[in-house]
Amino acid sequence: MKPGSIIPSSASSLTSLTVTMTVMSYLACLAIGALILVDRAVASWTSGLAREMTVQLRVVRDIDIETQLGKAQAILSGFPGILQAEILDQGESIRLLEPWLGTRSLEGLPVPRLIRVITDTANPPDVAALETALAAVKGARLDTHRKWEAELTRMARALTVLSYSILMLISASAIAIVIFATRAVLQANRHIVDLLHLIGARDRYIARQIDGRFLRTGMLSGFMGVGMGLLTFLLLGLFGGGSESGVAAASRSLLFSAPEIALWSYGVLLTVPIAATLICLVTARVTLMRRLGVVT
């Protein structure tokens, strides 16, 4: 007959540990997925801001705004480092303000006109010289979007720190849970351990037999947590709306992207079961050796 395990698979402590570690792995998967999405979004936004500038022309009394727009466009089109200067019509300028002011609030207001400027990132224009050239245009003001880029970078840094802090808290909680579970398992099966000691088994042998159960528990809970996390992102992508922006689109980009990007994303997410397995194995091993009286 094949000898049975020292710790039965149906032990209540291990069952509770599996459920708890699965939840921890699921939360870690969500935190990592959110970190990846934030990094991609900020990189996309900042790259867009870096290659674009905006020239705003205020409505000035006794000044023909259309003439000033043409003058500003001529200066921009011939300036080194600028690839395109596109005048936005009045309707587009109003639509940009509608999310903050609404439609009725804009009636009768002198809405500024905008010129969208696309720059050459390999050979960017001289901003100081461009501002000097635009000084000849009445009511013109150059916006390089550097303030918004700095704010986005600061926000991304704060969210990154927050995500890593959450992952550290999850890891610390998982270690504490494994310690308590290991002690509970050892205490519940103390009679078996005493019997093994009686027949001459060494503590290291007993620890190896027990920590095998924790190895399988960590691996199983880690993969279950990642599976639940991927299912969550999939459901968000399928039922979160069909727009090209928002949580749904971000979730779809996490799961369905270019092969080289998807391979990296899935590889990062698969570190969760590896980490869960190592936490269970190492923590249980150290706890068992100390509880059995062996100094490691």
Side-chain angles (χ1 to χ4, degrees), residues 41-271:
V42 173
S44 176
W45 293 338
T46 53
S47 64
L49 292 175
R51 66 173 179 267
E52 290 188 10
M53 295 188 296
T54 303
V55 175
Q56 178 187 125
L57 272 79
R58 302 188 308 276
V59 178
V60 182
R61 182 178 297 181
D62 300 329
I63 296 295
D64 185 7
I65 188 67
E66 296 296 334
T67 302
Q68 299 301 315
L69 282 171
K71 186 177 179 180
Q73 187 180 34
I75 295 174
L76 293 168
S77 299
F79 201 86
I82 294 180
L83 302 177
Q84 181 183 354
E86 176 188 1
I87 299 176
L88 303 182
D89 59 33
Q90 187 74 14
E92 289 179 286
S93 300
I94 292 176
R95 282 193 294 272
L96 291 174
L97 296 175
E98 284 180 359
W100 288 272
L101 301 179
T103 55
R104 299 184 62 181
S105 301
L106 295 173
E107 296 177 359
L109 291 179
V111 178
R113 298 295 300 276
L114 302 176
I115 301 177
R116 180 189 179 195
V117 180
I118 299 178
T119 63
D120 184 2
T121 54
N123 183 27
D126 187 342
V127 176
L130 182 57
E131 288 179 337
T132 302
L134 289 172
V137 181
K138 300 295 183 180
R141 186 177 68 87
L142 179 65
D143 184 3
T144 60
H145 303 161
R146 290 179 179 176
K147 178 181 178 181
W148 295 104
E149 186 177 356
E151 289 294 332
L152 286 174
T153 303
R154 190 178 300 112
M155 179 193 69
R157 190 179 298 114
L159 291 176
T160 300
V161 172
L162 177 62
S163 297
Y164 280 119
S165 300
I166 292 174
L167 289 174
M168 291 178 63
L169 288 175
I170 291 174
S171 300
S173 301
I175 291 173
I177 290 169
V178 173
I179 291 175
F180 287 123
T182 305
R183 291 179 177 177
V185 167
L186 193 61
Q187 186 63 33
N189 297 273
R190 191 67 193 180
H191 60 288
I192 300 178
V193 175
D194 292 339
L195 179 60
L196 291 173
H197 278 146
L198 185 62
I199 61 177
R202 295 182 177 272
D203 289 334
R204 294 186 181 275
Y205 169 80
I206 299 173
R208 284 198 303 270
Q209 300 303 311
I210 296 177
D211 62 23
R213 293 294 310 156
F214 286 90
L215 171 65
R216 291 188 290 272
T217 298
M219 188 177 299
L220 175 63
S221 59
F223 279 107
M224 288 176 61
V226 170
M228 291 169 58
L230 293 177
L231 180 61
T232 300
F233 288 118
L234 178 61
L235 293 177
L236 287 175
L238 293 177
F239 303 106
S243 62
E244 295 301 322
S245 60
V247 178
S251 300
R252 288 193 294 269
S253 68
L254 179 64
L255 299 177
F256 311 107
S257 53
E260 61 275 9
I261 299 177
L263 184 63
W264 181 82
S265 300
Y266 284 110
V268 174
L269 291 174
L270 287 177
T271 59

